[in-house]
Amino acid sequence: MLRNFVKNLSAKNLRSLVKNNGVPSSFSNQRCIAPLSTTELALKDEKVKVTFVLHDGKRLETEAKVGDTLLDVVVNNDLNIEGYGACEGTLTCSTCHVVLKPDDFNRLPEEACDEERDMLDLAYGLTDTSRLGCQITLTKDLDGLEIQVPETINDARS
């Protein structure tokens, strides 16, 4: 598909793409009306509801894009969760440790990788349904996800 796209690309078509915010208008073999992207998930504009429950019971309810991680949700929505995501998702700390309800935990599309499990071993308040928020990518199936944020964080980097 990419080969056909490049073969059909001309200056006129390129100007049309830029003018129309990346929506192709005249490619005969291109049926997609979504903006061009390098990832499939970035093409989706679907939203899901996510609720972070802090240790004091305060609930932070927000909307998030499908394809974002829980760390993205906290950063993009400027949620005030002390110390959350200090390593910016590089799997070198456990500050984005979250606890999920068993049903929500079982809905996650992927299991924790070895690096995540190593960081979770250092997390405060570890449970059987603990995960690192930077490693949970939201899907449409996770709409309504409720996440418990532990009382404190343990930054494995210090």
Coordinates of all heavy atoms in Angstrom, one line a residue, residues 50-138:
V50 N -12.1 7.3 32.1 CA -11.2 6.7 33.1 C -11.3 7.5 34.4 O -11.4 8.7 34.4 CB -9.7 6.9 32.6 CG1 -8.7 6.3 33.6 CG2 -9.6 6.2 31.2
T51 N -11.3 6.8 35.5 CA -11.4 7.4 36.8 C -10.2 6.9 37.7 O -10.0 5.7 37.8 CB -12.7 7.0 37.5 OG1 -13.8 7.4 36.7 CG2 -12.8 7.7 38.9
F52 N -9.5 7.9 38.2 CA -8.4 7.6 39.1 C -9.0 7.9 40.5 O -9.5 9.0 40.8 CB -7.2 8.5 38.9 CG -6.5 8.3 37.6 CD1 -6.9 8.8 36.4 CD2 -5.4 7.4 37.6 CE1 -6.3 8.6 35.2 CE2 -4.7 7.2 36.4 CZ -5.1 7.7 35.2
V53 N -8.9 6.9 41.4 CA -9.3 7.1 42.8 C -8.1 7.2 43.7 O -7.3 6.3 43.8 CB -10.2 5.9 43.2 CG1 -10.7 6.1 44.7 CG2 -11.3 5.7 42.3
L54 N -7.9 8.4 44.3 CA -6.8 8.6 45.1 C -6.9 8.0 46.5 O -8.1 7.6 46.9 CB -6.5 10.1 45.3 CG -6.4 10.9 44.0 CD1 -6.1 12.4 44.2 CD2 -5.3 10.3 43.1
H55 N -5.9 7.8 47.2 CA -5.9 7.1 48.5 C -6.9 7.8 49.5 O -7.4 7.1 50.4 CB -4.5 7.0 49.1 CG -4.0 8.4 49.6 ND1 -3.4 9.3 48.7 CD2 -3.9 8.9 50.8 CE1 -3.0 10.3 49.4 NE2 -3.4 10.2 50.7
D56 N -7.1 9.1 49.4 CA -8.1 9.7 50.3 C -9.5 9.7 49.8 O -10.4 10.3 50.4 CB -7.7 11.2 50.5 CG -7.7 12.0 49.2 OD1 -8.1 11.5 48.1 OD2 -7.4 13.2 49.2
G57 N -9.8 8.9 48.7 CA -11.1 8.7 48.2 C -11.5 9.7 47.1 O -12.5 9.6 46.5
K58 N -10.7 10.8 46.9 CA -11.0 11.7 45.9 C -11.0 11.0 44.5 O -10.1 10.3 44.2 CB -10.0 12.9 45.9 CG -10.2 13.9 44.9 CD -9.2 15.1 45.0 CE -9.5 16.1 44.0 NZ -8.5 17.2 44.0
R59 N -12.0 11.3 43.7 CA -12.1 10.7 42.4 C -11.7 11.8 41.3 O -12.3 12.8 41.3 CB -13.5 10.2 42.2 CG -13.9 9.1 43.2 CD -15.3 8.7 43.1 NE -15.7 8.1 41.9 CZ -15.5 6.8 41.5 NH1 -15.0 6.0 42.4 NH2 -15.9 6.4 40.4
L60 N -10.8 11.4 40.4 CA -10.5 12.2 39.3 C -11.0 11.6 38.0 O -10.4 10.6 37.5 CB -9.0 12.4 39.2 CG -8.2 13.0 40.4 CD1 -6.7 13.0 40.2 CD2 -8.8 14.4 40.7
E61 N -12.2 12.0 37.5 CA -12.8 11.4 36.4 C -12.4 12.3 35.1 O -12.4 13.5 35.2 CB -14.3 11.4 36.5 CG -14.8 10.6 37.7 CD -16.3 10.5 37.9 OE1 -17.0 11.0 37.0 OE2 -16.7 10.1 38.9
T62 N -12.0 11.6 34.1 CA -11.6 12.2 32.9 C -11.9 11.4 31.6 O -12.3 10.2 31.7 CB -10.1 12.5 33.0 OG1 -9.7 13.4 31.9 CG2 -9.2 11.3 33.0
E63 N -11.7 12.0 30.5 CA -11.8 11.3 29.2 C -10.4 11.1 28.6 O -9.5 12.0 28.8 CB -12.7 12.1 28.2 CG -14.1 11.8 28.3 CD -14.9 12.3 27.1 OE1 -14.3 13.2 26.3 OE2 -16.0 11.9 26.9
A64 N -10.2 10.0 27.9 CA -8.9 9.8 27.3 C -9.1 9.2 25.9 O -10.1 8.7 25.6 CB -8.1 8.8 28.2
K65 N -8.0 9.4 25.1 CA -8.1 8.8 23.8 C -7.7 7.4 23.8 O -6.8 7.0 24.5 CB -7.0 9.6 22.9 CG -7.4 11.0 22.6 CD -6.3 11.6 21.8 CE -6.4 13.1 21.6 NZ -5.3 13.7 20.9
V66 N -8.3 6.6 23.0 CA -7.9 5.2 22.7 C -6.5 5.3 22.2 O -6.2 6.1 21.3 CB -8.9 4.5 21.8 CG1 -8.4 3.2 21.3 CG2 -10.3 4.3 22.4
G67 N -5.6 4.4 22.7 CA -4.2 4.4 22.3 C -3.3 5.1 23.2 O -2.1 4.9 23.2
D68 N -3.8 5.9 24.2 CA -3.0 6.6 25.2 C -2.7 5.6 26.3 O -3.5 4.7 26.6 CB -3.7 7.8 25.8 CG -3.6 9.0 24.9 OD1 -2.9 9.0 23.9 OD2 -4.3 10.0 25.2
T69 N -1.6 5.8 27.0 CA -1.4 5.1 28.2 C -2.0 5.8 29.4 O -2.3 7.0 29.3 CB 0.1 4.9 28.5 OG1 0.7 6.2 28.7 CG2 0.8 4.2 27.3
L70 N -2.1 5.2 30.5 CA -2.6 5.9 31.7 C -1.7 7.1 32.1 O -2.1 8.1 32.6 CB -2.7 4.9 32.9 CG -3.8 3.9 32.8 CD1 -3.9 3.0 34.0 CD2 -5.2 4.6 32.5
L71 N -0.4 6.9 31.9 CA 0.6 8.0 32.1 C 0.2 9.2 31.2 O 0.2 10.4 31.6 CB 2.0 7.6 31.9 CG 3.1 8.7 32.0 CD1 3.0 9.3 33.4 CD2 4.4 8.1 31.7
D72 N -0.1 8.9 29.9 CA -0.5 10.0 29.0 C -1.7 10.7 29.5 O -1.9 11.9 29.4 CB -0.8 9.4 27.6 CG 0.4 8.8 26.9 OD1 1.5 9.3 27.1 OD2 0.2 7.9 26.1
V73 N -2.7 9.9 30.0 CA -3.9 10.5 30.5 C -3.7 11.5 31.6 O -4.2 12.6 31.7 CB -4.9 9.4 31.0 CG1 -6.1 10.0 31.6 CG2 -5.3 8.4 29.9
V74 N -2.8 11.1 32.6 CA -2.5 12.0 33.7 C -1.8 13.3 33.2 O -2.2 14.4 33.6 CB -1.6 11.2 34.7 CG1 -1.0 12.2 35.8 CG2 -2.3 10.1 35.4
V75 N -0.8 13.1 32.3 CA -0.1 14.3 31.8 C -1.0 15.1 30.9 O -1.0 16.4 31.1 CB 1.2 13.8 31.0 CG1 1.8 14.9 30.3 CG2 2.1 13.1 31.9
N76 N -1.7 14.5 30.0 CA -2.5 15.3 29.0 C -3.7 16.0 29.6 O -4.1 17.0 29.1 CB -3.0 14.4 27.9 CG -1.9 13.9 27.0 OD1 -0.8 14.4 27.0 ND2 -2.2 12.8 26.3
N77 N -4.2 15.5 30.7 CA -5.3 16.1 31.4 C -4.9 16.9 32.7 O -5.7 17.3 33.4 CB -6.3 15.0 31.8 CG -7.0 14.4 30.6 OD1 -7.7 15.1 29.9 ND2 -6.7 13.2 30.2
D78 N -3.6 17.0 32.9 CA -3.0 17.8 34.0 C -3.6 17.4 35.3 O -4.0 18.2 36.1 CB -3.2 19.3 33.7 CG -2.3 20.1 34.6 OD1 -1.2 19.6 35.0 OD2 -2.7 21.3 34.9
L79 N -3.7 16.0 35.5 CA -4.3 15.5 36.8 C -3.2 15.7 37.9 O -2.0 15.4 37.7 CB -4.7 14.1 36.6 CG -5.7 13.8 35.6 CD1 -6.0 12.3 35.5 CD2 -7.0 14.6 35.8
N80 N -3.7 16.1 39.0 CA -2.8 16.4 40.2 C -2.6 15.1 41.0 O -3.2 14.9 42.0 CB -3.3 17.5 41.0 CG -2.3 17.9 42.1 OD1 -1.1 17.6 42.0 ND2 -2.8 18.6 43.1
I81 N -1.6 14.2 40.5 CA -1.3 13.0 41.3 C 0.2 13.1 41.6 O 1.0 13.0 40.7 CB -1.6 11.8 40.4 CG1 -3.1 11.7 40.1 CG2 -1.2 10.5 41.2 CD1 -3.5 10.6 39.2
E82 N 0.5 13.4 42.8 CA 1.8 13.7 43.3 C 2.9 12.6 42.9 O 2.7 11.4 43.2 CB 1.8 13.7 44.8 CG 3.1 14.0 45.5 CD 3.4 15.5 45.5 OE1 2.5 16.3 45.5 OE2 4.6 15.9 45.5
G83 N 3.9 13.0 42.1 CA 5.0 12.2 41.7 C 4.7 11.2 40.7 O 5.6 10.4 40.3
Y84 N 3.5 11.1 40.1 CA 3.1 10.1 39.2 C 4.0 10.2 37.9 O 4.1 11.2 37.3 CB 1.6 10.3 38.8 CG 1.0 9.1 38.1 CD1 0.5 8.0 38.8 CD2 1.0 9.0 36.7 CE1 -0.1 7.0 38.2 CE2 0.5 7.9 36.1 CZ -0.1 6.9 36.8 OH -0.6 5.8 36.1
G85 N 4.6 9.1 37.5 CA 5.3 9.0 36.2 C 6.6 9.7 36.1 O 6.9 10.3 35.1
A86 N 7.3 9.7 37.2 CA 8.6 10.5 37.3 C 9.6 10.1 36.2 O 10.3 10.9 35.8 CB 9.2 10.3 38.7
C87 N 9.6 8.9 35.8 CA 10.6 8.4 34.7 C 10.0 8.6 33.3 O 10.7 8.2 32.4 CB 11.1 7.0 35.0 SG 9.9 5.7 34.5
E88 N 8.8 9.2 33.2 CA 8.2 9.4 31.9 C 8.0 8.2 31.1 O 8.1 8.2 29.9 CB 9.0 10.5 31.2 CG 9.1 11.8 31.9 CD 10.0 12.8 31.2 OE1 10.6 12.5 30.2 OE2 10.0 14.0 31.7
G89 N 7.7 7.1 31.7 CA 7.4 5.9 31.0 C 8.5 5.0 30.5 O 8.4 4.2 29.6
T90 N 9.7 5.2 31.1 CA 10.9 4.5 30.6 C 11.1 3.2 31.4 O 12.2 2.5 31.2 CB 12.2 5.3 30.7 OG1 12.4 5.8 32.0 CG2 12.0 6.5 29.8
L91 N 10.2 2.8 32.3 CA 10.3 1.6 33.1 C 11.6 1.6 34.0 O 12.2 0.6 34.1 CB 10.3 0.3 32.2 CG 8.9 -0.1 31.7 CD1 9.1 -1.3 30.8 CD2 8.1 -0.6 32.9
T92 N 11.9 2.8 34.6 CA 13.0 2.9 35.5 C 12.5 3.3 36.9 O 13.4 3.6 37.7 CB 14.1 3.8 35.0 OG1 13.5 5.1 34.7 CG2 14.7 3.3 33.7
C93 N 11.2 3.4 37.1 CA 10.7 3.7 38.4 C 9.4 3.0 38.6 O 8.9 2.3 37.7 CB 10.6 5.2 38.6 SG 9.2 6.0 37.8
S94 N 8.7 3.1 39.7 CA 7.4 2.5 39.9 C 6.4 3.6 40.4 O 5.4 3.3 41.0 CB 7.5 1.4 40.9 OG 8.0 1.8 42.1
T95 N 6.7 4.8 40.0 CA 5.8 5.9 40.5 C 4.4 6.0 39.8 O 3.5 6.7 40.3 CB 6.5 7.3 40.3 OG1 6.8 7.5 38.9 CG2 7.8 7.4 41.1
C96 N 4.2 5.3 38.8 CA 2.9 5.2 38.1 C 2.2 3.9 38.5 O 1.3 3.5 37.8 CB 3.0 5.4 36.6 SG 3.9 4.1 35.8
H97 N 2.6 3.3 39.6 CA 1.9 2.1 40.1 C 0.5 2.4 40.4 O 0.1 3.3 41.0 CB 2.6 1.6 41.4 CG 1.9 0.6 42.1 ND1 1.8 0.6 43.5 CD2 1.4 -0.6 41.7 CE1 1.1 -0.5 43.8 NE2 0.8 -1.2 42.8
V98 N -0.4 1.5 39.8 CA -1.8 1.6 40.0 C -2.4 0.2 40.4 O -1.7 -0.8 40.1 CB -2.6 2.1 38.8 CG1 -2.2 3.6 38.5 CG2 -2.4 1.2 37.6
V99 N -3.5 0.2 41.1 CA -4.2 -1.1 41.4 C -5.5 -1.1 40.7 O -6.3 -0.1 40.8 CB -4.3 -1.2 43.0 CG1 -5.1 -2.5 43.3 CG2 -3.0 -1.1 43.7
L100 N -5.8 -2.2 40.1 CA -7.0 -2.3 39.3 C -8.0 -3.3 40.0 O -7.5 -4.2 40.8 CB -6.7 -2.8 37.9 CG -5.8 -2.0 37.1 CD1 -5.3 -2.8 35.9 CD2 -6.5 -0.7 36.6
K101 N -9.3 -3.1 39.8 CA -10.2 -4.1 40.2 C -10.0 -5.4 39.5 O -9.5 -5.4 38.3 CB -11.7 -3.6 39.9 CG -12.1 -2.4 40.7 CD -13.5 -2.0 40.3 CE -13.9 -0.8 41.0 NZ -15.2 -0.3 40.6
P102 N -10.2 -6.6 40.1 CA -9.9 -7.8 39.4 C -10.6 -7.9 38.0 O -9.9 -8.4 37.0 CB -10.5 -8.9 40.3 CG -10.4 -8.3 41.7 CD -10.7 -6.8 41.4
D103 N -11.8 -7.5 37.8 CA -12.5 -7.6 36.5 C -11.7 -6.7 35.5 O -11.6 -7.1 34.4 CB -13.9 -7.2 36.6 CG -14.8 -8.2 37.3 OD1 -14.3 -9.4 37.5 OD2 -15.9 -7.9 37.7
D104 N -11.4 -5.5 35.9 CA -10.6 -4.6 35.0 C -9.3 -5.1 34.7 O -8.8 -5.0 33.5 CB -10.5 -3.2 35.7 CG -11.8 -2.4 35.7 OD1 -12.7 -2.8 35.0 OD2 -11.9 -1.5 36.5
F105 N -8.6 -5.7 35.7 CA -7.3 -6.3 35.5 C -7.4 -7.4 34.4 O -6.5 -7.5 33.5 CB -6.7 -6.9 36.8 CG -5.4 -7.4 36.7 CD1 -4.2 -6.6 36.8 CD2 -5.2 -8.8 36.5 CE1 -3.0 -7.1 36.7 CE2 -3.9 -9.3 36.4 CZ -2.8 -8.5 36.5
N106 N -8.4 -8.2 34.5 CA -8.6 -9.3 33.5 C -9.0 -8.8 32.1 O -8.8 -9.5 31.1 CB -9.6 -10.3 34.0 CG -9.1 -11.0 35.2 OD1 -7.9 -11.3 35.4 ND2 -10.1 -11.4 36.1
R107 N -9.5 -7.6 32.0 CA -9.8 -7.0 30.7 C -8.6 -6.4 30.0 O -8.7 -6.1 28.8 CB -10.8 -5.8 30.8 CG -12.2 -6.3 31.2 CD -13.2 -5.2 31.0 NE -13.0 -4.0 31.9 CZ -13.4 -2.8 31.7 NH1 -14.1 -2.5 30.7 NH2 -13.2 -1.9 32.6
L108 N -7.5 -6.2 30.6 CA -6.3 -5.7 30.0 C -5.8 -6.5 28.8 O -5.8 -7.8 28.9 CB -5.2 -5.5 31.0 CG -5.4 -4.5 32.2 CD1 -4.2 -4.5 33.1 CD2 -5.7 -3.1 31.6
P109 N -5.5 -5.9 27.7 CA -5.2 -6.7 26.5 C -3.8 -7.4 26.6 O -3.6 -8.3 25.9 CB -5.2 -5.7 25.4 CG -5.0 -4.3 26.0 CD -5.6 -4.5 27.4
E110 N -2.9 -6.8 27.4 CA -1.5 -7.4 27.5 C -1.1 -7.6 29.0 O -1.5 -6.9 29.8 CB -0.5 -6.5 26.9 CG -0.8 -6.2 25.4 CD 0.2 -5.2 24.8 OE1 0.9 -4.6 25.6 OE2 0.2 -5.1 23.6
E111 N -0.3 -8.7 29.2 CA 0.2 -8.9 30.5 C 1.5 -8.1 30.7 O 2.0 -7.6 29.7 CB 0.6 -10.4 30.6 CG -0.6 -11.3 30.6 CD -0.3 -12.8 30.8 OE1 0.9 -13.0 31.3 OE2 -1.1 -13.6 30.6
A112 N 1.9 -7.9 31.9 CA 3.1 -7.2 32.3 C 4.3 -7.9 31.7 O 4.4 -9.1 31.8 CB 3.2 -7.0 33.8
C113 N 5.2 -7.1 31.1 CA 6.5 -7.7 30.7 C 7.4 -7.9 31.8 O 7.2 -7.5 33.0 CB 7.1 -6.8 29.6 SG 7.6 -5.2 30.2
D114 N 8.6 -8.5 31.6 CA 9.5 -8.8 32.7 C 10.0 -7.5 33.3 O 10.2 -7.4 34.6 CB 10.7 -9.6 32.2 CG 10.4 -11.0 31.8 OD1 9.3 -11.5 32.4 OD2 11.1 -11.7 31.0
E115 N 10.3 -6.5 32.5 CA 10.8 -5.2 33.1 C 9.8 -4.5 34.0 O 10.1 -4.0 35.0 CB 11.2 -4.3 31.9 CG 12.4 -4.7 31.1 CD 12.1 -5.7 30.0 OE1 10.9 -6.0 29.8 OE2 13.0 -6.1 29.3
E116 N 8.5 -4.6 33.5 CA 7.5 -4.1 34.4 C 7.3 -4.8 35.7 O 7.2 -4.2 36.7 CB 6.1 -4.1 33.6 CG 5.0 -3.5 34.5 CD 3.6 -3.5 33.8 OE1 3.5 -3.9 32.6 OE2 2.7 -3.0 34.4
R117 N 7.4 -6.1 35.6 CA 7.3 -6.9 36.9 C 8.5 -6.6 37.8 O 8.3 -6.5 39.0 CB 7.2 -8.4 36.5 CG 5.9 -8.9 36.0 CD 5.7 -10.4 36.0 NE 6.4 -11.0 34.9 CZ 5.9 -11.1 33.7 NH1 4.7 -10.8 33.4 NH2 6.6 -11.7 32.7
D118 N 9.6 -6.4 37.3 CA 10.8 -6.0 38.1 C 10.5 -4.7 38.8 O 10.8 -4.6 40.0 CB 12.1 -5.9 37.3 CG 12.6 -7.2 36.8 OD1 12.1 -8.3 37.3 OD2 13.4 -7.2 35.8
M119 N 10.0 -3.7 38.1 CA 9.7 -2.4 38.8 C 8.5 -2.5 39.7 O 8.5 -1.9 40.8 CB 9.3 -1.4 37.7 CG 10.5 -0.9 36.9 SD 11.7 0.0 38.0 CE 13.0 -1.1 38.0
L120 N 7.5 -3.4 39.4 CA 6.4 -3.6 40.4 C 6.9 -4.2 41.7 O 6.3 -3.9 42.7 CB 5.3 -4.5 39.7 CG 4.4 -3.8 38.7 CD1 3.6 -4.8 38.0 CD2 3.6 -2.7 39.4
D121 N 7.9 -5.0 41.6 CA 8.5 -5.6 42.9 C 8.9 -4.5 43.8 O 9.0 -4.7 45.1 CB 9.6 -6.5 42.6 CG 9.2 -7.9 42.0 OD1 8.0 -8.2 42.1 OD2 10.0 -8.5 41.3
L122 N 9.2 -3.3 43.3 CA 9.7 -2.2 44.2 C 8.6 -1.2 44.5 O 8.8 -0.3 45.2 CB 10.8 -1.5 43.4 CG 12.0 -2.3 42.9 CD1 12.9 -1.5 42.1 CD2 12.7 -2.9 44.1
A123 N 7.4 -1.5 44.1 CA 6.3 -0.6 44.3 C 5.7 -0.7 45.7 O 5.7 -1.7 46.3 CB 5.2 -0.8 43.3
Y124 N 5.2 0.5 46.2 CA 4.5 0.5 47.5 C 3.1 -0.1 47.3 O 2.4 0.3 46.4 CB 4.5 2.0 48.0 CG 3.7 2.2 49.2 CD1 4.3 2.0 50.5 CD2 2.3 2.5 49.2 CE1 3.6 2.1 51.6 CE2 1.6 2.6 50.4 CZ 2.3 2.4 51.6 OH 1.6 2.6 52.8
G125 N 2.7 -0.9 48.3 CA 1.4 -1.5 48.3 C 1.1 -2.4 47.2 O -0.1 -2.4 46.7
L126 N 2.0 -3.2 46.7 CA 1.8 -4.1 45.6 C 0.7 -5.1 45.9 O 0.5 -5.6 47.0 CB 3.1 -4.9 45.4 CG 3.2 -5.8 44.2 CD1 3.1 -5.0 42.9 CD2 4.5 -6.6 44.2
T127 N -0.2 -5.4 44.9 CA -1.2 -6.3 45.0 C -1.2 -7.3 43.8 O -0.4 -7.1 42.8 CB -2.6 -5.6 45.0 OG1 -2.9 -5.1 43.7 CG2 -2.7 -4.5 46.0
D128 N -2.1 -8.3 43.7 CA -2.1 -9.2 42.6 C -2.7 -8.5 41.3 O -2.5 -9.0 40.2 CB -3.1 -10.3 42.9 CG -2.5 -11.3 43.9 OD1 -1.2 -11.3 44.1 OD2 -3.2 -12.1 44.6
T129 N -3.3 -7.3 41.5 CA -3.8 -6.6 40.3 C -3.1 -5.3 40.1 O -3.7 -4.4 39.5 CB -5.4 -6.4 40.5 OG1 -5.6 -5.6 41.7 CG2 -6.1 -7.7 40.5
S130 N -1.9 -5.2 40.5 CA -1.0 -4.0 40.3 C -0.5 -4.0 38.9 O -0.1 -5.1 38.4 CB 0.1 -4.0 41.3 OG -0.3 -3.7 42.6
R131 N -0.3 -2.8 38.4 CA 0.3 -2.6 37.1 C 0.9 -1.2 37.1 O 0.6 -0.4 38.0 CB -0.7 -2.7 35.9 CG -1.2 -4.0 35.6 CD -0.2 -5.0 35.0 NE 0.4 -4.5 33.8 CZ 0.0 -4.7 32.5 NH1 -1.1 -5.4 32.3 NH2 0.7 -4.2 31.5
L132 N 1.8 -1.0 36.2 CA 2.4 0.4 36.0 C 1.5 1.1 34.9 O 1.3 0.5 33.8 CB 3.8 0.3 35.5 CG 4.8 -0.3 36.5 CD1 6.2 -0.2 36.0 CD2 4.8 0.5 37.9
G133 N 1.1 2.3 35.3 CA 0.2 3.0 34.4 C 0.8 3.3 33.0 O 0.1 3.4 32.0
C134 N 2.1 3.5 33.0 CA 2.8 3.8 31.7 C 2.7 2.6 30.8 O 3.0 2.8 29.6 CB 4.2 4.2 32.0 SG 5.3 2.9 32.6
Q135 N 2.4 1.4 31.2 CA 2.4 0.2 30.4 C 1.0 -0.2 30.0 O 0.8 -1.2 29.4 CB 3.1 -0.9 31.1 CG 4.6 -0.6 31.4 CD 5.3 -0.2 30.1 OE1 5.4 -1.1 29.2 NE2 5.9 1.0 30.0
I136 N -0.1 0.5 30.5 CA -1.4 0.2 30.2 C -1.9 1.1 29.1 O -2.1 2.3 29.3 CB -2.4 0.3 31.4 CG1 -1.9 -0.7 32.5 CG2 -3.8 0.1 31.0 CD1 -2.7 -0.6 33.8
T137 N -2.1 0.5 27.9 CA -2.6 1.3 26.7 C -4.1 1.1 26.7 O -4.6 0.0 26.7 CB -1.9 0.8 25.4 OG1 -0.5 0.9 25.6 CG2 -2.4 1.6 24.2
L138 N -4.8 2.2 26.6 CA -6.3 2.2 26.6 C -6.8 1.7 25.3 O -6.4 2.1 24.2 CB -6.8 3.6 26.9 CG -6.5 4.1 28.3 CD1 -6.9 5.5 28.5 CD2 -7.2 3.2 29.4

